[in-house]
Amino acid sequence: MTSVRSGNRRYLALWLPWLSIERVIHAGGTQSAPPDAPLATVEKVKGALRLASVDRAAAALGLHEGMSLADARATVPELLVLDHNAYADAILLDRLAEGCTRYTPHVAVDGCDALVLDLTGSIHLFGDETTLIADVQARLARRGLQVRAAFAYGPEAALALARYQRTPVTDEYAAVMRLPIAALQLEAEHETALQRAGLLKIGDIARRPLAAIAARFGEDAVQAIRRMTGEAASPLAFRTVKAPLVFDRRFADPIARTDYVLERLADLAAQAMEALGERGHGGRRFEALFFRSDGLTRRLAIETGFPTRDIKVVMRLFRERIDTLDDPLDPGFGYDMVRLTVPRHEPLAAGQLRLEGQEAHAIQQVEELVDRLSTRLGRERVRRFIPRDSHIPEQAQLTLPAMEASQTQAEWTISPPGNPPLRPLHLFDPPQKIEVIAQVPDGPPHRFHWHKAMHEVSRFEGPERIASEWWKAKDGNPAHGAPTRDYYRVEDRRGRRFWIFRHGLYDEESEHPHWYLHGLFA
Amino acid sequence: MTGFAELVAATNYSFLRGASHPGDMIKQAIALGYAGIGIADRNTVAGVVRAWSALREKNEEARHLSGHDVDLKLVVGARLVFCDGTPDIIAYPANRHGWGRLCRMLTEGNKQAAKGDCLLTFAHLTEFCDDLLLIAMASDEHEEILRRLLWRARGSLWLSATMPYNGDDRRRLVGQQALASRLGIPLIATNDALYAEAGDRPLQDIVACIREGMSMAQAGRRLFPNAERHLKSPREMKRLFRDAPDAIAQTTAFLGRVEFDLSQLHYEYPHEPVPDGWEPQEWLEHLVRNKLPERYPSGLTQEGLKKLQIEFDLIRAKNYAYYFLTVHDVVEYARGKGILCQGRGSAANSIVCYVLGVTAIDPIREKLLFTRFLSEERDEPPDIDIDFEHERREIVMQYIYDRYGRDRAGIAATVIHYRPRSAVREVAKALGISEDIVRRLTGTVWGSFSGSMEPERYRQAGIDIENPQIIRLKALVDRLLNFPCHLSQHVGGFVLTDGRLDEMVPIHNAAMPDRTFIEWDKDDIDALGLMKVDILALGMLTCIRKAITLMKQWDVGDYQLHTIPQDDPATYAMLQKGDSIGVFQVESRAQINMLPRLRPKELYDLVIQVAIVRPGPIEGDMVHPYLRRRAGKEKVEWPSPKPPHDPNELKEVLGKTLGVPLFQEQAMNLAITAAEFSHADANQLRHSMATFRNVGKMERFEEKLVTGMVRRGYERDFAKRCYRQIEGFGSYGFPESHAQSFAILVYASSWIKCHHPAIFACAILNSQPMGFYAPAQLVRDAREHGVEILPIDVNHSGWDHAIERGRDGSLALRLGFRLMDGFNRNWAEAVERARTVQPFASIERLARDAGLPSRALRLLSDADALQSLDMGRREALWEARRTPAGSLPLFEHAAAREIGDEPDARLPALQPWEEVTTDYQTTRLSLKGHPMQFLRPIFQAEGVMSCTDTCASGNGRIVRTAGVVLVRQRPGKGNAIFVTMEDEGGIANVVIWARLFERYRRQVMTSRLMLVEGEVQRSEEGVVHLMARRIVDRTGELNKLMLDEAIKASASDDRDGPSTVSLAGHPRNVRIVPPSRDFH
């Protein structure tokens, strides 16, 4: 195999030693902390909290990754601890990788804190290597990120130099040979064995017959050495950029017929659905752009409550949208291009058709209706009740835009068969104060005064006692809290049914509790 | 009579459901004027004894005040919760037989389940419902099941009715009435109480959240809507049930049907230890008389015989013969197996125990009084703890299970309570407080034994105590503390019965295989007067047994534990020097410091030595007075009361200890004699001492003791000190009888160490883990006592460390494979087997003959255990890595080498420091040198003294010294931190005051190599301490040892990045020296 080193390839490694912490700092997660406090992020490993990353100050105090939080605290009590979020770190690193595509399309992510760029043949575009590094560092510094960068003939060598070599070097190969064997990133056990054999630097090993190394440390070790020295190419996994979902249709002559344009839009939708299907996704937002030959463009957007790949649904929503336009589509001198984009899409598994026929689910029909109504009336105006898990009646449900209201954990309370509903459908907000004559301590009201009328209670049931949420008490004392409510379902002489409550228990909470009407039974 | 009894009351032993202690339920029931209360926890009876004891205490108080008991009848049972859709049933035994049925049912349910769960089905209920009174928490939908139950339980089934303020209460009540009349069973009123008072609702919500693993905000309707599940007054209950007055009347009718009370649980001893045809008392006396000559070859004195007769009479009167015979039976079994054991505890003061071989102390010689703790006034069975060799205790435990059967023998439970750390964590999670705050708070709790969560803790964590969330947190944490959270098994307390144990108390499966335990803990067992034998594990017994065996094997003496020569001056001389590393009990830094001051000359001095360095005497400030009197610097006198009291009344109590109370018994007797405590009072005091964490009880005694003593003319100061000492005993009670038993082991281990240091080192190393010191220090200590230490070697070593004849013919210690990290016993045995045929000549032969995997070869070569193969360490390591594992059949009989020759690898020459560091990494010690010797030039240049020179410096000199940290200790209240450090020549003991520690916390806690500047302090007895002033962490020097010059150069400009960390690779390899052993 020819040496890759002679191929004049150039790789840039970027190592972000404090990525985790700097991300949190940049996000403002440490604003309350003193500026020079040592920081660390922690995660749970087998039930124990361990440091996942540390910052410069903490590292200087001897803290390191993998240490248990208890040990770290015993050493540095002022240590400020944040939750480790490997996912967010990975996302940030991925975004940085994306940003680096400004230099080259070949960007690979290494581990959780480094990037490798293949810049072979394109360095001159940015000046020379030094100015390129300065540019990268300046850009990352704006995001509060420190980076150590190194160029080399191979990706592993570049990474090793970035991680282990502080000062610039003239002879990269010689510098790599002087690096500790840890830079090879072998298994810990092999690394120790090499150290015990007195082989401490990469050069110590590279100079020996590789067969002797292979017999002891396996083919992987030999590969690692060969890659480090540039004798073998490494299989870098460059991140691939997902093409955005953009579909264009140009017309040879401007088209003035809106229907025709919509038919072509449907063609584009079919392409879009295919592309989405390949990704296992469904679209949540579709945008159509109509380019007029006179340079004007018109943009229309629709959204669905659930990810979809159904052309009919999408096209129907576009038609609904067009129908509701105050200012209808005007082709002018005709359209010369139409574009469909799918800016928002989410995973959607391929659906299984029912064996007995293509009957749509009732739920799905409701969802489609919601989509249509929301498209027609505006998303804020089509709302849906969702149940919430609370004993407090007015907090037991909530309305949300129907398109956002997906499943909730709570369920509606349903009275057992044969029993009347315990709560009315309609609640007053706020409850209306009423004058009541009632028995103490928890007797039913005899009569009450509401809306300038006296209601004589002929039947009642209750009380249903609902205590306040003590964990929201303002002063923190669990014994304090808002008064307890005693709810009664009452019926007056004319058969009208009301839901009323006494606010506060007699004697215990209040001397003269007030009464409120909270709802009407249908 | 129109009283009311709440029959469905849960306590916090319905784990994470109930929110009140059993005692609080009882207290509230009395306050409300109930006719009765029924305690029924979820599938358990774990809390009923607490309730029963609480009522008994209330009765005692009431009798004292008004002359009669409180008007409350307690019935105990369980709430049966089923896993097959059967509604909850509350079951109370009508009589003793019913109790047995209930326990059997729960045991059956427990056996079905993994630890901590109980799976009951309807079939269990019908099988075991004889003599049980049942309340069904059922409604219409369960009608069919109730009808089926009625086949078995007509006349003893009630239907519950509750008024939980759900809005439809009265409608439901009508439904329940209709259901009851259809079934023809009575309706009974209850509030299904989960806590004592309405104010307990927040706590109930919190435990519910803990149970569900969610926060208050998430829990929503999983919580109860209101605070009505408390004990309500009879008047209120009658008002709520005004539509069904009979349901109220049924509660007292139900109460009247229960005849069972926990006091009916009569304990019966197992009959096995008595041969057929013998009465237990006769058999015991027979045994003792037969064995008497073994212990007293020349017979007992007249006085001794009289004492023995007193013991016999007492045992007969209290019917304890079975107990002594049972313990004897266990001990005999262990003896038969050659397992060393030794008893301690109160009954160990008796001649009977001594003669039976249960204990090793001669009560006549040591003038111990058997009657002191086993008096007729105290109606409790005696208490004997027996220590066994820790490695073989399981054999004894399984013997007990086998002999008495799992339905008659069980280990006591230990109730695991919420401690500050767990309480803060759980409450905060329930309140939705962020993890970070929780970490800050729990980070301030040192250890897990702190009993409370003071405001100071919150402030220390930098948390605003005025913040509402924190106020809430604190209020609830304070209440959750000391709540039981689950049951676990006791370390070794066995309860044995003659009848079925599972008809006395339910039995659970333990997490450990082959173990079963009962639901009650040792307080419950004490309260009910059940017999418990503690089968404990003690590492030193293993060590002594191994040493005795080795002595016999190498023909240097044939001894038993009790035949080791007594009063040996050489042994005491060694102890007086403080030379006690590895010795039982007196090896800690504090004990070692005490030895030269106490200068023990006889066994009783060791008894005092063991007892004096304890929180009790230290906190009671009794140590210095004792030492001064012992040294003759202070007159021995007894604090005296004023006339007319006998001025010498304390002489009897404190005579043996020169007028200073040191033992638990003395504190007790002091209370009786000087403060006129009744025996019952003293007994209660002892109880609260043992269960010190029973909040609040001890304060009552302080008042009583101090005023009692002052009234009788003692000085208030002395009285207060006595109380403080008793308080100290609370956490670590140390009675004289225990100290006596321990002193024997102290002496035995010292004697072996003194006369056969090689054997002692070998035995203690083979009994690891135990004691204070790591193998490295034990080996070093043996070396300093002139023992030749031979390295691990494949041609000589076994798994265990062994004794060999050394070069000069004396006994030498050969280190074994067990010292190597990661090496496994099977490999070691394979090596031993294979070399009996022919010694190994090469790595290849070793691999082939012993069938070792390559990992084993690597470990052996890394640990330099291939020296006898005549290869350099580095070459051996290089070679071992390419040697194929085990045997290749094809080449089995071929003489040819399996692998080809290789050109010489020309590895760099091995440096001495590399040898030492690798030794430390693989075996945690090195026979070739000490890391410090390689750093000596650096330190010498800085003017840092060696440990030996420091110890030889004059009092008051300011010196600087450095060493590898061996042990860090922060004993007692933590005013001082003791650090022991070591260099190539010796050790130095550093004392760091707490204030200095706060400044140098990081250095103190993490240094592996520490430099200390301080003042040399030399005590009269010659103990040298370095009182630290400044501490520097020099661990970096150790790391430098690892690095090649070239690497150092490239790394030196990068001190601030993680690259220095990653340089050394795996953290384990950074450790040139093993971590110190730290004791908080």
Side-chain angles (χ1 to χ4, degrees), chain B residues 593-612:
Chain B
N593 292 344
M594 186 59 72
L595 282 169
R597 297 160 78 183
L598 198 76
R599 302 185 64 76
K601 294 186 291 291
E602 53 178 17
L603 191 65
Y604 196 75
D605 294 338
L606 293 179
V607 176
I608 288 171
Q609 168 83 27
V610 165
I612 200 167

Side-chain angles (χ1 to χ4, degrees), chain A residues 215-372:
Chain A
R216 290 169 178 83
F217 305 101
E219 200 50 42
D220 287 352
V222 172
Q223 274 303 317
I225 296 163
R226 286 165 57 84
R227 286 190 190 129
M228 187 61 76
T229 55
E231 282 168 42
S234 57
L236 270 196
F238 292 112
R239 51 191 296 290
T240 51
V241 180
K242 284 263 166 81
L245 293 166
V246 180
F247 305 91
D248 291 342
R249 178 67 188 259
R250 290 169 197 278
F251 307 120
D253 297 311
I255 306 292
R257 279 175 51 217
T258 308
D259 280 352
Y260 181 81
V261 174
L262 284 180
E263 276 166 36
R264 298 292 76 79
L265 187 66
D267 295 345
L268 293 176
Q271 287 178 30
M273 296 314 170
E274 205 170 305
L276 283 167
E278 279 167 14
R279 296 184 183 193
H281 277 210
R284 286 287 309 272
R285 184 179 171 92
F286 297 84
E287 287 180 8
L289 262 88
F290 301 93
F291 294 83
R292 261 165 49 168
S293 52
D294 57 3
L296 287 178
T297 57
R298 185 71 188 264
R299 180 190 295 260
L300 291 182
I302 57 147
E303 277 182 88
T304 60
F306 284 81
T308 181
R309 284 200 299 270
D310 190 335
I311 303 166
K312 272 193 228 143
V313 170
V314 172
M315 288 316 294
R316 187 166 58 222
L317 290 173
F318 271 120
R319 293 213 172 83
E320 299 266 3
R321 186 83 190 88
I322 290 166
D323 289 349
T324 57
L325 290 176
D326 302 332
D327 162 24
L329 278 185
D330 172 14
F333 298 104
Y335 299 108
D336 58 3
M337 184 167 105
V338 57
R339 166 178 288 176
L340 178 69
T341 63
V342 191
R344 193 167 154 217
H345 46 91
E346 287 169 3
L348 171 67
Q352 168 79 54
L353 293 183
R354 287 213 176 176
L355 210 55
E356 61 267 33
Q358 276 207 359
E359 143 199 358
H361 295 267
I363 286 280
Q364 203 180 330
Q365 287 175 346
V366 173
E367 298 303 339
E368 283 172 15
L369 176 66
V370 166
D371 289 345
R372 286 168 64 188

Side-chain angles (χ1 to χ4, degrees), chain B residues 999-1017:
Chain B
R999 224 173 104 202
Y1000 289 107
R1001 171 187 281 270
R1002 192 177 70 74
Q1003 287 86 337
V1004 175
M1005 298 287 290
T1006 59
S1007 298
R1008 287 174 192 281
L1009 200 167
M1010 191 187 277
L1011 188 150
V1012 181
E1013 181 185 294
E1015 185 185 330
V1016 175
Q1017 205 176 71

Side-chain angles (χ1 to χ4, degrees), chain A residues 79-125:
Chain A
L79 179 72
L80 200 74
V81 174
L82 312 157
D83 281 315
H84 190 66
N85 187 346
Y87 183 67
D89 290 347
I91 287 183
L92 174 60
L93 196 61
D94 192 60
R95 285 183 49 202
L96 296 177
E98 195 174 310
C100 286
T101 53
R102 72 169 53 246
Y103 304 111
T104 168
H106 304 298
V107 181
V109 171
D110 184 82
C112 54
D113 57 359
L115 302 173
V116 184
L117 282 62
D118 181 354
L119 284 159
T120 309
S122 55
I123 293 165
H124 64 276
L125 299 174

Side-chain angles (χ1 to χ4, degrees), chain B residues 147-161:
Chain B
R147 283 190 191 281
R148 274 161 58 204
L149 183 57
L150 274 174
W151 280 97
R152 295 277 290 125
R154 171 134 337 252
S156 55
L157 180 63
W158 278 258
L159 180 67
S160 79

Side-chain angles (χ1 to χ4, degrees), chain B residues 806-975:
Chain B
R807 279 188 293 266
D808 60 352
S810 62
L811 297 185
L813 174 66
R814 167 71 69 180
L815 299 179
F817 295 122
R818 65 187 289 156
L819 200 59
M820 286 165 55
D821 271 352
F823 205 71
N824 116 11
R825 192 172 190 144
N826 297 335
W827 299 339
E829 281 162 5
V831 166
E832 279 180 88
R833 260 197 314 274
R835 73 172 182 237
T836 52
V837 184
Q838 171 185 8
F840 306 115
S842 69
I843 297 183
E844 237 178 299
R845 300 279 336 167
L846 168 65
R848 198 193 303 168
D849 295 353
L852 292 183
S854 41
R855 178 169 155 72
L857 291 178
R858 278 181 235 159
L859 287 169
L860 287 170
S861 64
D862 283 1
D864 202 15
L866 304 177
Q867 286 177 53
S868 61
L869 300 187
D870 218 16
M871 280 175 105
R873 181 179 202 161
R874 201 154 253 179
E875 286 66 37
L877 176 151
W878 199 242
E879 191 62 25
R881 290 203 142 251
R882 69 164 190 149
T883 306
S887 58
L888 293 177
L890 230 142
F891 296 94
E892 192 100 348
H893 302 288
R897 280 173 58 92
E898 289 164 14
I899 42 177
D901 283 318
E902 226 181 30
D904 182 9
R906 296 189 325 280
L907 298 172
L910 191 61
Q911 301 298 316
W913 60 264
E914 284 180 310
E915 287 264 21
V916 172
T917 51
T918 315
D919 281 344
Y920 270 89
Q921 283 166 4
T922 53
T923 58
R924 292 158 195 254
L925 60 89
S926 177
L927 301 175
K928 302 178 187 108
H930 191 277
M932 280 298 287
Q933 82 194 52
F934 305 106
L935 301 171
R936 185 55 60 196
I938 303 175
F939 285 115
Q940 208 150 31
E942 293 178 23
V944 174
M945 281 170 112
S946 73
C947 291
T948 320
D949 291 347
T950 303
C951 290
S953 303
N955 194 22
R957 246 194 92 183
I958 305 293
V959 301
R960 285 191 302 146
T961 190
V964 169
V965 177
L966 294 184
V967 187
R968 285 172 254 249
Q969 286 168 262
R970 191 175 192 175
K973 286 190 165 174
N975 297 332

